[in-house]
Amino acid sequence: MRLGFAILSGLLPLLCVAAKSKTAGKFEHFHQKFTSNPPIKLDDASYDRLTAAPRDYTVAVLLTALEARFGCQLCRDFQPEWDVVGKSWVRGDKKGDARLLLGTLDFADGRGTFQKLMLQTAPVMMLFPPTTGPHARPDSQAMRYDFTTGSQSAEKVNDWIIRHMPAGPKPSIYRPVNYMRLITITTAILGLVSFFSVAAPYILPVLQNRNLWAAISLITVLLFTSGHMFNHIRKVPYVSGDGKGGISYFAGGFSNQFGLETQIVAAMYGTLSFATIALALKVPRMVDPKKQQIAVFVWGGVVFVMYSFLLSVFRVKNGGYPFHLPPF
């Protein structure tokens, strides 16, 4: 009995050393793959081996579905950010002092793993803490990253990984310079500068035309004072039935309006504005007195009729308004 206990006591340290060397060898094997092409591309077998206990390292695995037939747009959008995280760790922790490995398991290469984990959606990121060593956790259950918190960036994911790792120096995200984008932006800016330098003699007179800006300002004022933004915010109907088989173009009350009503009001305001401008600027410059007199009566009649129509519309909006102006 004592002899057996002595043999067991002698073999126990050897078994611990063997298990430790096996875990270290597994980390070195995957770390070599990680540094050569980050993150590690996994399949069912390599995923099981990488995440299997015992492990004295941390593993972050992205389970994704990149092929177009799976229709996972978030997977394709997030993959470049995940690659940035992997390359940043290789660049900042070449020796693997932080003992972190990053891997990617595509659905096309790991259907069995997806079925075993009962995953119905992608992407899913899982972080496996160490099970042995000084930083081992009592609860070795994998933690999952929440992809529903808005846009996902490499910096945000990296902060989440670091937050669940032991204390110590960790690399920050490094984004390489996109020279193609820089060249494209520089070329576009130079092209715009060249275009404006050549076209300036033709464009500046148009941009400095007071009549053009007056027309733009007038159209903008009419558009917004007629209730254009109200229609976009409230999603109002264009017209509505009046309950008698007809169409109602104006909604009663000041808190309601129709889309066509906005256009009619804008047209009324535009006509009144144009008639006023004509009476104030165009008519006084007319040389012929008879034509000038006719123009005064015509534009004055337009103002009178349109203002009468405007008052009638106002009475529809406010049923208690007592005044009106013929003919409406």
Side-chain angles (χ1 to χ4, degrees):
M1 184 69 178
R2 291 183 178 179
L3 179 62
F5 181 77
I7 295 174
L8 183 61
S9 300
L11 290 177
L12 186 60
L14 297 177
L15 293 174
C16 294
V17 172
K20 184 176 181 180
S21 62
K22 181 180 179 181
T23 304
K26 184 170 65 170
F27 176 79
E28 295 298 332
H29 170 74
F30 282 107
H31 186 261
Q32 185 177 2
K33 288 186 175 183
F34 180 49
T35 54
S36 61
N37 188 21
I40 308 169
K41 188 176 181 180
L42 304 172
D43 54 20
D44 285 332
S46 57
Y47 171 86
D48 291 338
R49 184 184 176 191
L50 178 65
T51 60
R55 57 178 181 274
D56 61 348
Y57 52 86
T58 306
V59 186
V61 179
L62 176 67
L63 297 102
T64 184
L66 297 175
E67 294 187 12
R69 59 190 174 123
F70 300 129
C72 182
Q73 185 62 39
L74 179 59
C75 298
R76 294 191 291 271
D77 293 341
F78 178 70
Q79 189 61 39
E81 296 296 309
W82 182 239
D83 294 337
V84 169
V85 176
K87 293 176 182 178
S88 298
W89 274 89
V90 170
R91 183 176 182 272
D93 187 27
K94 295 181 180 180
K95 297 181 180 180
D97 296 332
R99 301 192 73 79
L100 173 71
L101 297 173
L102 305 178
T104 303
L105 178 63
D106 196 350
F107 180 77
D109 303 320
R111 293 176 180 267
T113 302
F114 274 77
Q115 293 175 357
K116 181 173 63 177
L117 298 175
M118 294 184 291
L119 298 179
Q120 302 293 330
T121 59
V124 174
M125 185 185 300
M126 305 184 71
L127 185 69
F128 298 86
T131 59
T132 60
H135 302 297
R137 292 191 177 185
D139 183 10
S140 60
Q141 292 293 326
M143 293 167 282
R144 292 181 60 164
Y145 180 76
D146 186 8
F147 278 95
T148 62
T149 58
S151 60
Q152 309 302 328
S153 62
E155 290 79 6
K156 192 174 181 180
V157 172
N158 190 58
D159 292 341
W160 179 80
I161 294 175
I162 293 175
R163 192 162 59 246
H164 293 90
M165 290 184 63
K170 305 292 188 303
S172 58
I173 293 298
Y174 169 77
R175 293 184 181 273
V177 179
N178 190 341
Y179 292 102
M180 184 59 65
R181 183 181 180 183
L182 183 62
I183 293 172
T184 302
I185 294 175
T186 304
T187 304
I189 293 175
L190 293 176
L192 289 174
V193 172
S194 302
F195 172 76
F196 282 113
S197 62
V198 173
Y202 307 98
I203 296 177
L204 286 179
V206 177
L207 295 178
Q208 294 174 351
N209 190 300
R210 293 194 305 172
N211 293 331
L212 174 65
W213 288 107
I216 294 175
S217 301
L218 183 60
I219 292 172
T220 304
V221 170
L222 293 175
L223 184 66
F224 287 100
T225 55
S226 62
H228 176 73
M229 289 306 299
F230 183 92
N231 295 346
H232 277 275
I233 295 172
R234 295 292 186 91
K235 306 295 182 183
V236 300
Y238 190 67
V239 292
S240 179
D242 60 358
K244 302 177 181 179
I247 297 176
S248 179
Y249 300 102
F250 300 97
F254 293 115
S255 61
N256 301 304
Q257 69 180 26
F258 299 139
L260 183 58
E261 175 184 340
T262 302
Q263 299 174 6
I264 294 174
V265 171
M268 286 191 296
Y269 286 159
T271 304
L272 287 170
S273 301
F274 187 78
T276 304
I277 293 172
L279 283 171
L281 300 178
K282 299 296 183 181
V283 174
R285 298 176 184 176
M286 299 178 70
V287 179
D288 191 346
K290 291 184 178 181
K291 291 183 178 179
Q292 188 182 55
Q293 187 177 15
I294 294 173
V296 170
F297 282 110
V298 170
W299 289 117
V302 170
V303 172
F304 183 84
V305 172
M306 291 306 303
Y307 191 69
S308 172
F309 183 50
L310 181 61
L311 282 179
S312 68
V313 173
F314 187 77
R315 292 185 67 185
V316 173
K317 304 296 291 184
N318 184 8
Y321 189 70
F323 304 105
H324 73 282
L325 186 67
F328 295 100

